[in-house]
Amino acid sequence: MARLGIISSGGPKDAFVERLEQLLGEDVADIAAAEAGVPMHQLAFEGRDEELVRELASPLEDLAQAGADCALLASVSAHCVQKALADAGTLPLLGLAEALRQDVLAQDWRSVFLLGSYRTMKDGFLKRPLILSHTIVITPNEEEKLWLQHAVDAVQGGTGEREEMQEHLLDIVSKGREEGAQGLLLASTALETLAEGLELPLPAVMPSVSATHAFTAFRHV
């Protein structure tokens, strides 16, 4: 049976890992976890891609030593360096960005509202394949992109007023619906944590569910 290894910035028991444990249920023993030791989303935001690849080498090796058969980065924005990590060849990497894209396409939405870290919303590693699949990708304005990056930082750091941030997040999602989005791509493990318990104005694709789909597919290859 395949064993999943997860690299997070928040330690082996962060909220994303806990969600995966709940979703995998009886397969919870198949999870190994390692801590990146650096805020992956922050290095991605600052464009420090080479440093991010170097910093992930050690936890990837730790997961290989722990018997993991594949690895998952618990940060969507860190997937900006997935190709470089895959070329290093330490462990097969589950593509969370690709899993999110596949789940969006499965919904058959003509347009999707993409929310995530600043890098995820601005870069092409997640948006471009969706656009090439004839899906209209809507993102918020620059001010809201920067606020969402701040929200990701706050959730990762355990700071900020949760209720206030949740209200602002709901306002942003409502604007996406008004702009014609049929669904929400919440492409951030931190924003997924922030959205827990909320009734979102749009049906949503979330990282934890997409990661579960990717691991299930890997196990059946």
Side-chain angles (χ1 to χ4, degrees):
M1 182 177 290
R3 192 174 193 211
L4 172 62
I6 303 174
I7 299 176
S8 72
S9 295
K13 282 292 181 182
D14 75 355
F16 179 72
V17 177
E18 291 180 351
R19 283 194 295 273
L20 280 183
E21 289 176 341
Q22 294 169 0
L23 289 167
L24 288 170
E26 63 183 15
D27 295 326
V28 66
D30 292 338
I31 294 180
E35 189 169 351
V38 294
M40 292 184 282
H41 72 285
Q42 188 63 34
L43 293 183
F45 173 58
E46 295 173 2
R48 295 155 63 184
D49 293 6
E50 292 183 3
E51 183 178 350
L52 179 56
V53 172
R54 290 195 303 270
E55 291 288 350
L56 290 173
S58 179
L60 279 169
E61 181 60 31
D62 290 344
L63 290 176
Q65 292 296 323
D69 296 291
C70 60
L72 174 72
L73 305 180
S75 165
V76 179
S77 51
H79 284 72
C80 63
V81 298
Q82 176 161 337
K83 185 178 186 304
L85 289 172
D87 290 344
T90 306
L91 274 177
L93 287 173
L94 295 184
L96 183 53
E98 175 61 16
L100 287 164
R101 185 181 78 87
Q102 291 294 340
D103 282 358
V104 168
L105 295 179
Q107 300 299 321
D108 201 28
W109 295 328
R110 293 188 305 276
S111 58
V112 65
F113 193 41
L114 168 61
L115 300 184
S117 71
Y118 189 86
R119 179 75 180 265
T120 300
M121 291 182 288
K122 293 286 283 190
D123 232 2
F125 71 92
L126 180 58
K127 289 195 303 184
R128 182 171 172 77
L130 282 169
I131 294 169
L132 290 175
S133 298
H134 309 292
T135 301
I136 298 169
V137 179
I138 303 169
T139 58
N141 62 38
E142 186 71 7
E143 181 181 350
E144 289 168 340
K145 284 186 176 73
L146 292 170
W147 181 87
L148 287 161
Q149 176 66 37
H150 168 75
V152 169
D153 294 339
V155 172
Q156 293 282 10
T159 61
E161 293 293 333
R162 181 176 176 83
E163 287 189 12
E164 182 179 327
M165 290 194 297
Q166 285 183 321
E167 288 178 5
H168 197 161
L169 178 62
L170 286 173
D171 287 341
I172 292 174
V173 177
S174 294
K175 290 178 183 176
R177 182 183 60 184
E178 292 167 3
E179 291 182 30
Q182 294 181 314
L184 170 65
L185 173 50
L186 199 61
S188 164
T189 59
L191 293 180
E192 182 179 3
T193 298
L194 182 61
E196 283 185 314
L198 296 179
E199 186 173 341
L200 295 168
L202 286 169
V205 166
M206 301 277 194
S208 60
V209 176
S210 295
T212 303
H213 292 163
F215 182 52
T216 300
F218 177 84
R219 291 174 59 194
H220 289 90
V221 170

